[in-house]
Amino acid sequence: MRILAIDTSTDACSVAIWNKGEILALCELQPRQHTQRILPMVNQVLIDGGLVLSQLDVLAFGRGPGSFTGVRIGISIAQGLALGADLPVLGISSLQTMAQGAWRLSCAKRVLAALDARMGQVYWGQFERQEDGRWSEGEGEGVFSPAKVLARTDRLHGDWASVGIGWQTYPDLVSAATLSLHDGEIRFPEAEDMLPLALLGWQEGGAVAVENAEPTYLRNEISWKK
């Protein structure tokens, strides 16, 4: 099994390859430089892995939520690469990717993910790891005000890992929380952590044709400022 994963949904720009169990990954914090960096990074991991696109089985992309522009860049790059190599694609949640990152770093099984959604809101996800490696999503992903997030955490108990830049953007999420939180040490999604999720998605038949790739914005309306 060979998988290429790319993510540009946040300030981080990352790529990774799963090559029959071996992982190669690159991650850079590159705000507003994704279009310049993502393809050279893809090329580098392919060279390092001794692979070409046509040898891959599937291309996984960070479907969001995150920056609207970043999500669109990621899905466009994924579609272009997959179309040229005749590959199926697989969208991976950026919030669930961060939960997977907390598991990789500290074996955290219960994770709360928060990314800054601008406009006084956060993209939010609540995840619990199952024995088979899958993540249950609690009440589901959404975009909420900090007050609504606190109302959700008030219903939780026990120890949880916090991931995502949203916790730093809105520090009251930590100071006013009534549950036990520890830092999951993940600020942004990384393509390396998409790989286990993509493997599970592939096994479940989640890969789709390139024309059916869809982003996840969570917001129904996209606001533009000229």
Side-chain angles (χ1 to χ4, degrees):
M1 186 70 191
R2 294 186 175 105
I3 303 171
L4 171 65
I6 66 172
D7 185 86
T8 60
S9 62
T10 63
D11 285 352
C13 184
S14 61
V15 301
I17 283 180
W18 175 278
N19 184 7
K20 298 181 179 180
E22 180 184 358
I23 294 175
L24 297 171
L26 293 174
C27 183
E28 299 178 1
L29 195 60
Q30 292 282 1
R32 297 177 294 279
Q33 297 295 317
H34 293 9
T35 54
Q36 287 82 16
R37 292 298 304 140
I38 188 64
L39 287 175
M41 292 170 69
V42 168
N43 188 55
Q44 186 61 56
V45 294
L46 288 172
I47 291 173
D48 291 346
L51 297 171
V52 295
L53 281 172
S54 60
Q55 292 177 291
L56 303 174
D57 295 291
V58 65
L59 199 158
F61 65 93
R63 69 174 188 233
S67 156
F68 295 130
T69 300
V71 171
R72 286 193 293 269
I73 290 171
I75 196 171
S76 297
I77 294 294
Q79 286 179 310
L81 293 173
L83 187 63
D86 194 25
L87 297 174
V89 295
L90 190 59
I92 305 294
S93 161
S94 55
L95 298 176
Q96 195 172 126
T97 296
M98 292 191 296
Q100 182 68 35
W103 166 259
R104 171 173 57 87
L105 293 181
S106 62
C107 294
K109 293 185 177 181
R110 300 202 292 179
V111 183
L112 300 176
L115 284 173
D116 183 12
R118 312 291 183 183
M119 300 166 64
Q121 294 179 312
V122 295
Y123 297 122
W124 175 259
Q126 171 190 329
F127 303 97
E128 293 192 57
R129 185 178 172 87
Q130 308 303 303
E131 291 300 323
D132 61 3
R134 290 168 174 80
W135 293 89
S136 62
E137 293 189 5
E139 298 182 75
E141 298 180 358
V143 56
F144 305 111
S145 67
K148 288 187 176 180
V149 168
L150 285 171
R152 288 190 166 214
T153 59
D154 282 346
R155 299 195 290 268
L156 302 176
H157 304 281
D159 296 324
W160 293 78
S162 60
V163 296
I165 196 65
W167 299 93
Q168 288 72 45
T169 307
Y170 299 97
D172 285 352
L173 293 179
V174 177
S175 61
T178 57
L179 76 169
S180 176
L181 285 172
H182 68 271
D183 189 350
E185 300 180 17
I186 295 289
R187 300 293 178 264
F188 301 104
E190 297 183 25
E192 176 180 359
D193 298 313
M194 295 169 62
L195 296 173
L197 304 176
L199 280 168
L200 290 172
W202 174 267
Q203 292 165 5
E204 295 173 347
V208 299
V210 62
E211 63 269 19
N212 295 324
E214 293 184 358
T216 297
Y217 293 124
L218 292 184
R219 239 186 220 123
N220 291 329
E221 295 181 1
I222 299 176
S223 298
W224 294 88
K225 278 190 177 181
K226 291 187 179 180

